[in-house]
Amino acid sequence: EDQVTQSPEALRLQEGESSSLNCSYTVSGLRGLFWYRQDPGKGPEFLFTLYSAGEEKEKERLKATLTKKESFLHITAPKPEDSATYLCAVEGTSGSRLTFGEGTQLTVNP
Amino acid sequence: NAGVMQNPRHLVRRRGQEARLRCSPMKGHSHVYWYRQLPEEGLKFMVYLQKENIIDESGMPKERFSAEFPKEGPSILRIQQVVRGDSAAYFCASSSSTGPNEQFFGPGTRLTVL
């Protein structure tokens, strides 16, 4: 059974204070690892897909990296508008469904 | 904006009633997924459908829940005889039949069972 664990559960940062969110996974043959952002009362918003160890993707202040056992979402010089819950999910060879972690709730204070 | 559409956004039902949730995938997408997010819990997969076919329903409760994606019209998630434990946010996602399985989510339907 595919499993995803995210840490920390919650993270509070000052504006401009860089940090990283962790996503550890076990999966039967990784087809893809996905990062989403979810704002309160809304659906998850797609951010990145990573397919193989060593891969990196960037978008504005966010950079996602992947190893064989975990992924990191690095946030550089965050702003208050980056406050959201960040979700990590994996797709394994057992099917097209995504298995999600419980998310990291990020709060960036001005 | 041809994003994933879900309706209704909010649905209130009394115990024992039926709930019908609708999802229209993004333009050009033929794969639909339903997920449930219980309060203070993560997103859990329920069912994966293509037009007129259920591909994977391994996450669907065996009783009271059903899903369809007809040749014409939206996908429907149907919950019969709702109970309080069905109160949750139900999200639909869609993906293209080609390329990576990047799933794009709708805004969700928040079901409250009184």
Side-chain angles (χ1 to χ4, degrees):
Chain A
E1 183 179 329
D2 301 343
Q3 288 190 323
V4 176
T5 302
Q6 291 188 246
S7 62
E9 289 185 16
L11 180 62
R12 211 173 262 280
L13 300 173
Q14 287 299 120
E15 185 172 0
E17 180 187 1
S18 301
S19 188
S20 295
L21 282 54
N22 177 263
C23 170
S24 299
Y25 65 90
T26 55
V27 65
S28 56
L30 181 70
R31 281 188 177 166
L33 184 140
F34 305 84
W35 282 98
Y36 288 85
R37 168 191 170 129
Q38 186 173 26
D39 292 293
K42 297 191 176 181
E45 174 190 345
F46 172 78
L47 293 174
F48 303 109
T49 309
L50 302 166
Y51 295 102
S52 57
E55 191 175 358
E56 297 183 354
K57 293 256 177 93
E58 282 190 71
K59 179 180 178 181
E60 295 180 355
R61 295 177 291 283
L62 301 176
K63 182 167 92 171
T65 62
L66 182 64
T67 72
K68 287 188 178 178
K69 292 188 177 181
E70 57 192 353
S71 177
F72 292 92
L73 185 65
H74 306 277
I75 303 176
T76 302
K79 298 183 178 182
E81 53 261 42
D82 295 322
S83 297
T85 296
Y86 290 85
L87 302 172
C88 172
V90 296
E91 179 194 6
T93 53
S94 56
S96 295
R97 62 185 177 274
L98 299 184
T99 299
F100 280 85
E102 299 207 358
T104 293
Q105 185 175 358
L106 174 67
T107 304
V108 181
N109 295 315
Chain B
N1 182 351
V4 178
M5 294 193 292
Q6 291 188 249
N7 64 79
R9 295 292 309 278
H10 300 274
L11 183 61
V12 178
R13 286 287 179 266
R14 296 192 180 279
R15 280 178 296 169
Q17 291 184 320
E18 178 180 288
R20 281 190 181 230
L21 288 61
R22 288 177 290 279
C23 168
S24 296
M26 279 180 71
K27 189 175 180 181
H29 285 188
S30 58
H31 298 203
V32 166
Y33 310 80
W34 286 93
Y35 293 83
R36 177 164 68 174
Q37 189 170 42
L38 291 165
E40 307 305 322
E41 291 190 20
L43 280 157
K44 303 291 185 193
F45 168 80
M46 298 181 76
V47 63
Y48 163 36
L49 310 104
Q50 296 177 19
K51 284 285 187 183
E52 299 185 281
N53 283 304
I54 297 174
I55 307 301
D56 179 359
E57 57 182 348
S58 59
M60 194 90 102
K62 299 229 183 306
E63 296 180 354
R64 303 187 297 107
F65 285 72
S66 62
E68 63 176 7
F69 189 15
K71 187 176 179 181
E72 301 291 337
S75 175
I76 306 285
L77 179 68
R78 182 181 177 207
I79 312 171
Q80 294 179 288
Q81 299 177 311
V82 297
V83 301
R84 289 220 172 108
D86 297 332
S87 295
Y90 292 82
F91 291 98
C92 169
S94 71
S95 68
S96 169
S97 58
T98 59
N101 184 25
E102 292 171 351
Q103 297 182 18
F104 295 86
F105 283 77
T109 293
R110 276 142 190 88
L111 172 66
T112 301
V113 179
L114 301 177

